Every structure is written in C-alpha cells, then in structure tokens.
Amino acid sequence: MHLVPDAAAYLAGRWHIERTVHDLRADTTGTFRGTADFIPDGPDGPDGALRHAEEGVLTWQGVEHPATRTLWLRPRPDGTAAVTFEDGRPFHDLDLRSGRWTAVHPCAADHYEGTYTVLAADRWDLTWRVTGPHKDQLLRSVHRRAD
C-alpha cells in the first residue's frame, strides 16, 4: 500500500487505464483501454478542482465503441477530496491517505461500491461492484501513470 497525503496532488496528470467490465447477469465481459487526465480547467479550475476526463475505446462483444466520461475532483484542505459528476452532483468522497478507500454511491435502486487501492507512486487500482435490480456488474481498472 502506498500512502497518499494529498489525493489531488497524487492524481494530477495523465494515467493509462486498462479496465475489464463484467456483466455478471448476462455473463459477458468487455474491456476499456484509454487515458484519464486529471487537469485544472483554466488556471486554477473551479475552487481548485481537477477535471477528470477519461477517453478510450470500449470493446464489447467484439465491437469497439469510443467511450468518454468526465468527473470533477474537488480537493479539501486535509488532503481528501469530493468527487462529483460533470454537472456538479455528488458522487462520493475520496480519502487516499491510508492508500485504500471504499466509496459508496446509491444510484436509484442500484448500489455502487468502489475500492481504491494505491499500490505505488505510479499505479492505483479501482474496483467497482454494482448490484441492484438493474445491474449486476464488476468493473476492475488498473491506472498507470503516463510517462
């Protein structure tokens, strides 16, 4: 485990992502390969926030699809952060000071539980387990710092 005293400082920059997406209900698996950029929007970003923009290709049942998503990482003075959706709605808190964090997000009737594990200065993993009446998924992402 790698301790992270400041989540925003650690995540700032570009990361390569390799993600597997398992739809457990349908017994199908896909992959996502791409990048995640944590960058200020403008000189300081809104309230010092970092824009978390993912871009890549999702391969599902042999078909490639472009895929993007945008989140915001809003740092706090204690080194933790709030993660929000692109439109500002709350997603979850993030505290990497111990090198590990479990985030929880209710989404309508479904339940998202994500475990962040920081393995080194240049690698962190994120596993989301999604359960509920609409989804039964397991998403595993490996993030490696881009050179």
Side-chain angles (χ1 to χ4, degrees):
M1 209 82 57
H2 181 79
L3 306 182
V4 176
D6 183 334
Y10 173 76
L11 293 171
R14 173 166 274 203
W15 298 83
H16 293 289
I17 308 169
E18 292 185 17
R19 178 178 297 137
T20 56
V21 181
H22 303 278
D23 183 328
L24 301 171
R25 201 168 278 155
D27 193 27
T28 55
T29 300
T31 60
F32 171 85
R33 288 192 183 358
T35 58
D37 290 306
F38 289 84
I39 54 173
D41 190 37
D44 299 312
D47 302 322
L50 296 177
R51 190 164 151 281
H52 171 189
E54 288 188 7
E55 185 175 307
V57 175
L58 173 67
T59 304
W60 193 258
Q61 296 181 336
V63 179
E64 292 185 347
H65 309 273
T68 63
R69 82 170 175 174
T70 300
L71 300 169
W72 285 96
L73 185 77
R74 302 184 186 282
R76 298 182 180 128
D78 64 359
T80 66
V83 178
T84 65
F85 292 103
E86 185 173 19
D87 63 7
R89 289 176 299 124
F91 186 14
H92 63 79
D93 289 328
L94 182 60
D95 182 352
L96 298 177
R97 293 176 293 187
S98 71
R100 189 172 177 87
W101 178 254
T102 299
V104 175
H105 175 74
C107 184
D110 293 326
H111 177 81
Y112 286 66
E113 186 170 308
T115 302
Y116 289 76
T117 306
V118 182
L119 300 168
D122 60 354
R123 172 153 177 211
W124 58 282
D125 294 351
L126 174 57
T127 300
W128 283 101
R129 181 69 173 100
V130 186
T131 57
H134 305 292
K135 294 181 181 177
D136 188 6
Q137 299 175 336
L138 180 63
L139 296 87
R140 291 188 174 131
S141 302
V142 174
H143 296 77
R144 289 187 170 86
R145 188 170 295 284
D147 294 330

